[in-house]
């Protein structure tokens, strides 16, 4: 799992004890299986995590497809799906109970380009993907709430004034 997951309710693993070898939460699949959270049996943990050695040593045709960015072979989620299927691992879904978040002061690289730039009223964190929050509420048995009630507006950051040399450089490069 990830350190930037916020668990909206308990993550009950007892229901997952009897069943397939791998469990992943619903959502964020991108033509494969989400790479953010995994529950795996003791017997299958090494097979589930042995992604890149298998790709480079035993799956040259699969590696070529990813290097050429063929359709459905373009991201970590699709890589997990192909490797786990070829390894014969059975994957099941469970209701999402967590969502990605950030707190004030986290770097832009932590927030990424998909950051929603909104703060959740209910838990006082910045939300990264609105869909994950919606799925987590559903997975935790919480009623849906109107989107306009989710957020508190974030304070606007003051624009930094450029110093003289920066302004001069900007003007000169525009002339070139």
């Amino acid at each position: 799992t990830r350190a930037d997951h916020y668990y909206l309710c308990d993550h009950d693993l007892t229901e997952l004890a009897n069943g397939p070898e791998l469990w992943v939460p619903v959502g964020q699949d991108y033509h494969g299986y989400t790479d953010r959270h995994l529950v795996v049996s003791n017997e299958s943990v090494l097979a589930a995590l042995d992604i890149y050695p298998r790709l480079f040593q035993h799956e040259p045709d699969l590696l070529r497809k990813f290097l050429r960015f063929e359709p459905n072979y373009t991201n970590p989620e699709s890589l997990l799906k192909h490797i786990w299927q070829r390894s014969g691992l059975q994957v099941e879904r469970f209701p999402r109970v967590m969502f990605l978040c950030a707190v004030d002061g986290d770097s832009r690289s932590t927030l990424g380009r998909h950051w929603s730039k909104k703060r959740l009223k209910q838990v006082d964190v910045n939300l990264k993907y609105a869909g994950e929050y919606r799925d987590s509420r559903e997975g935790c048995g919480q009623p849906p709430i109107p989107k306009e009630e989710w957020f508190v507006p974030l304070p606007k950051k003051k624009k930094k004034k450029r110093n003289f040399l920066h302004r001069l450089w900007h003007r000169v490069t525009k002339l070139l």
Side-chain angles (χ1 to χ4, degrees):
T1 194
R2 295 173 53 133
D4 55 353
H5 267 159
Y6 186 97
Y7 287 81
L8 207 52
C9 62
D10 288 340
H11 186 358
D12 186 8
L13 299 175
T14 57
E15 294 178 16
L16 310 181
N18 301 323
E21 298 129 321
L22 302 172
W23 290 88
V24 295
V26 170
Q28 304 297 315
D29 296 331
Y30 307 106
H31 305 288
Y33 297 122
T34 181
D35 61 344
R36 297 190 196 142
H37 184 79
L38 166 69
V39 178
V40 60
S41 67
N42 292 342
E43 299 81 27
S44 300
V45 69
L46 292 178
L49 298 177
D50 190 36
I51 304 298
Y52 291 106
R54 181 175 172 99
L55 178 65
F56 290 114
Q57 296 170 5
H58 306 293
E59 304 287 351
D61 61 319
L62 189 57
L63 179 59
R64 276 191 292 281
K65 289 178 181 183
F66 276 95
L67 292 175
R68 284 186 250 154
F69 294 103
E70 291 184 16
N72 297 326
Y73 295 89
T74 57
N75 57 38
E77 293 84 2
S78 59
L79 174 61
L80 287 178
K81 181 178 181 179
H82 291 291
I83 291 289
W84 289 345
Q85 283 177 340
R86 289 175 181 220
S87 298
L89 296 170
Q90 185 184 359
V91 180
E92 289 290 332
R93 309 293 179 140
F94 65 87
R96 180 174 288 282
V97 297
M98 75 292 280
F99 60 91
L100 290 182
C101 67
V103 295
D104 290 337
D106 280 354
S107 71
R108 282 296 291 157
S109 63
T110 301
L111 299 171
R113 64 185 169 94
H114 299 291
W115 180 51
S116 70
K117 297 182 182 143
K118 301 201 174 162
R119 178 179 286 291
L120 286 171
K121 289 180 185 179
Q122 294 79 8
V123 293
D124 198 32
V125 295
N126 299 327
L127 180 65
K128 189 162 184 181
Y129 301 106
E132 280 189 347
Y133 180 63
R134 185 190 59 247
D135 292 346
S136 297
R137 287 190 63 82
E138 184 179 315
C140 291
Q142 298 178 7
I145 56 175
K147 242 185 190 177
E148 59 273 5
E149 293 180 23
W150 289 9
F151 307 115
V152 174
L154 293 175
K156 293 190 177 192
K157 291 183 179 180
K158 292 180 183 178
K159 282 191 172 182
K160 291 181 182 178
K161 290 187 177 182
R162 296 178 175 165
N163 66 29
F164 171 76
L165 289 175
H166 190 271
R167 287 192 312 266
L168 179 63
W169 175 256
H170 187 67
R171 286 181 185 158
V172 168
T173 54
K174 274 189 168 182
L175 295 173
L176 300 177

